[in-house]
Amino acid sequence: PEQIDARDVATGLASVARCAGQLPYFYCVAEHSILVARLATGGDPARRGAFDVASGWPDDAAGRRHARLALTHDGEEAFLGYLTRPVKHHPSMAPYRAVAARLRDVIVTTLVGARPTAVETAAVHAADRRAYALELDPAFAPACRDWLDARVAWLDAWDALV
């Protein structure tokens, strides 16, 4: 846990492409995580690019915690990479899922604090599903130009929430 740092998570998530890089544009897990955090807290999902994420977050402690949980919901992918859903959920990948869950738990407890409640987990999962639906829309466009832009955006959002 003492080796987990938000900057490392940001760098890793910004370097990992969503959808195994099969999109016609650059879209990374860091930007996806910002979108999930916006959706999970009722914020504007369009505000996820660099220099656009420092405001518009909840003012209360519970809302800010919820946003941090959403921002780190795929934190293990910063270190393990992104796997498509069919691969990740294949029965032979059970050991991977166990490692990923343990790493995610360490990241969340180190950066956010206490483990999420069942209600918090369900809300983040619901926001994650809504984000995926938005990302599949042909009109969807990423807000970040490249991985460095996405890293800055993730860190700006994190800094605004801690």
Side-chain angles (χ1 to χ4, degrees):
E2 62 277 352
Q3 294 179 337
I4 300 296
D5 184 274
R7 292 171 301 226
D8 295 331
V9 173
T11 300
L13 294 180
S15 301
V16 176
R18 286 275 294 162
C19 303
Q22 299 302 305
L23 297 171
Y25 46 77
F26 175 77
Y27 186 64
C28 65
V29 178
E31 187 174 349
H32 163 77
S33 297
I34 296 167
L35 175 59
V36 173
R38 287 291 191 198
L39 292 170
T41 58
D44 181 359
R47 296 185 69 184
R48 61 185 190 283
F51 314 111
D52 193 32
V53 296
S55 62
W57 297 104
D59 291 329
D60 64 303
R64 295 172 83 73
R65 171 183 159 74
H66 195 64
R68 289 192 311 272
L69 287 169
L71 205 56
T72 57
H73 82 282
D74 284 333
E76 76 281 0
E77 292 179 12
F79 305 102
L80 299 177
Y82 175 89
L83 293 179
T84 59
R85 186 171 181 79
V87 172
K88 185 187 266 185
H89 292 281
H90 189 275
S92 67
M93 296 300 285
Y96 168 86
R97 289 190 304 275
V99 169
R102 175 66 184 126
L103 180 55
R104 184 181 328 106
D105 186 57
V106 170
I107 290 167
V108 168
T109 55
T110 301
L111 296 181
V112 179
R115 289 181 176 87
T117 66
V119 171
E120 289 171 329
T121 299
V124 170
H125 281 286
D128 195 22
R129 287 190 300 277
R130 287 195 315 272
Y132 184 64
L134 287 172
E135 293 161 353
L136 292 179
D137 186 326
F140 180 82
C144 298
R145 296 179 306 269
D146 55 30
W147 78 270
L148 189 55
D149 198 28
R151 180 184 186 275
V152 167
W154 195 97
L155 283 171
D156 283 351
W158 184 259
D159 290 343
L161 292 165
V162 291

